[in-house]
Amino acid sequence: MGVSSGSQCWSDRPHHPDDDHRLLRVILAAPVVLLTLVSAFFLWLAINTRPDGDWDQAAYGGIELGSALAVVSAGAVGALWLAPSVRRVMRWPWAVPAVVLGMAAVARWVSSGA
């Protein structure tokens, strides 16, 4: 049961650090992408909620809640990305969409006029 001289067993390959980074990037991409999508969903709800008038406090509350949840989920992405071990593996373009969504949610919250 010897190994032929022309083939090399996978465990004999030298370990390359990029192999670990790729696996860790895939693992960390899941929460980053999911939280970014959650933030986008809540921002979409906040933008598409229209009050019927100045008296429609339920709609204003929905806008505030959707905006707040968008900010929280975008902030979670930012907080995750701020960890030095995560920043080594996932560069800043991974966090930019969530940051933009968070800023848009803050703008919607402020402009809601509640």
Side-chain angles (χ1 to χ4, degrees):
M1 289 189 69
V3 176
S4 67
S5 61
S7 68
Q8 189 176 16
C9 182
W10 67 271
S11 63
D12 292 340
R13 282 189 302 154
H15 181 72
H16 196 273
D18 282 344
D19 293 341
D20 291 339
H21 284 196
R22 276 189 222 119
L23 177 61
L24 190 55
R25 190 174 299 126
V26 168
I27 291 169
L28 290 173
V32 167
V33 169
L34 289 175
L35 285 168
T36 301
L37 290 173
V38 167
S39 181
F41 173 73
F42 284 121
L43 177 60
W44 179 82
L45 285 177
I47 288 172
N48 287 312
T49 301
R50 303 271 184 234
D52 290 330
D54 292 340
W55 50 266
D56 195 358
Q57 293 302 312
Y60 287 116
I63 291 169
E64 288 181 2
L65 180 61
S67 298
L69 291 172
V71 169
V72 167
S73 56
V77 172
L80 177 66
W81 184 80
L82 285 176
S85 58
V86 176
R87 275 198 320 262
R88 268 185 251 128
V89 176
M90 301 182 80
R91 300 293 179 210
W92 62 268
W94 283 93
V96 169
V99 170
V100 170
L101 288 169
M103 291 187 316
V106 168
R108 176 62 177 141
W109 193 346
V110 169
S111 71
S112 70

